Every structure is written in structure tokens, then in C-alpha cells.
């Protein structure tokens, strides 16, 4: 019947496959790889030779690369003030909720 032109068919061949283009059983994944294996009893065994290890430079002050987060950022203060329970205080949470929602 109809066939795509040669340049178009070459371009289509280079595109990555999707799950809609192939039969069942195709799983693309995320490219992260495994760090172990599944056991026949439903458990998971970590194989330490597969685990990624990141080595931090010994002296970060002379390290030339910088993170994407600034080092000059002030610590953020929570909304809960001096309450010793902090975010876990139910009374303080209800007070803030009533204040923000206009229910008093």
C-alpha cells in the first residue's frame, strides 16, 4: 500500500521505542539498575558489589565544583514558635488552622 518516504522512515527508526509500539512484556525501566536480587521466598538480598558508592572529596574548602544550593542560606524558622512539641502539637495546629481559615 503506502510506504513512508525514505528520509521519514530513517528518522522513525532512530526514535526510542515506547510500550505502545511493541508487544506485551516490554518494560522500559528508568535506567537505574538493580542493587540486588529477589529470593524465591519473596525477600530481597542486597549484593554490595552492585551498590553505588560515592566518594566525597576530603577537603571541601579547596574543592572547585559547587553545589546548586547556596551555602549562604539562613535556616528557615517553622510556624510553631516556641511550642516544645513543634509540628506534632495538635492544639497549635488547630490554632493556626482557625487563624488562616477565618474560623474563630
Amino acid at each position: 500500500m503506502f510506504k513512508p518516504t525514505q528520509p521519514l522512515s530513517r528518522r522513525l527508526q532512530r526514535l526510542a521505542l515506547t510500550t505502545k509500539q511493541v508487544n506485551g512484556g516490554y518494560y522500559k525501566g528508568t535506567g537505574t539498575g538493580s542493587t540486588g536480587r529477589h529470593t524465591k521466598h519473596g525477600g530481597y538480598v542486597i549484593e554490595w558489589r552492585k551498590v553505588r558508592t560515592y566518594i566525597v572529596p576530603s577537603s571541601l574548602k579547596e574543592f572547585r565544583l559547587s553545589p546548586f544550593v547556596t551555602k549562604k542560606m539562613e535556616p528557615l524558622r517553622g510556624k510553631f514558635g516556641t511550642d516544645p512539641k513543634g509540628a506534632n502539637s495538635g492544639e497549635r495546629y488547630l490554632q493556626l488552622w482557625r487563624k488562616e481559615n477565618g474560623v474563630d
Side-chain angles (χ1 to χ4, degrees):
M1 218 70 210
F2 294 105
K3 292 184 179 180
T5 60
Q6 289 297 325
L8 181 61
S9 82
R10 273 189 241 125
R11 188 175 301 141
L12 287 174
Q13 288 175 354
R14 282 190 226 133
L15 294 176
L17 288 175
T18 67
T19 54
K20 293 181 179 181
Q21 293 171 326
V22 294
N23 291 331
Y26 175 72
Y27 178 71
K28 187 173 180 180
T30 59
T32 58
S34 69
T35 57
R37 59 184 165 82
H38 295 280
T39 64
K40 65 180 179 180
H41 304 292
Y44 192 77
V45 176
I46 295 177
E47 295 178 4
W48 292 104
R49 63 183 177 81
K50 290 182 167 185
V51 175
R52 290 162 206 79
T53 305
Y54 301 102
I55 300 172
V56 179
S58 58
S59 175
L60 291 177
K61 293 191 179 190
E62 290 107 26
F63 192 64
R64 293 191 337 229
L65 297 177
S66 63
F68 292 117
V69 180
T70 180
K71 295 178 182 178
K72 300 175 185 175
M73 186 172 172
E74 303 261 335
L76 297 175
R77 303 284 179 221
K79 296 180 181 180
F80 297 98
T82 59
D83 192 354
K85 291 184 181 177
N88 296 324
S89 172
E91 296 86 12
R92 182 71 178 142
Y93 174 79
L94 288 174
Q95 288 174 358
L96 288 173
W97 186 87
R98 287 183 188 124
K99 179 180 168 188
E100 290 176 4
N101 291 299
V103 179
D104 226 359

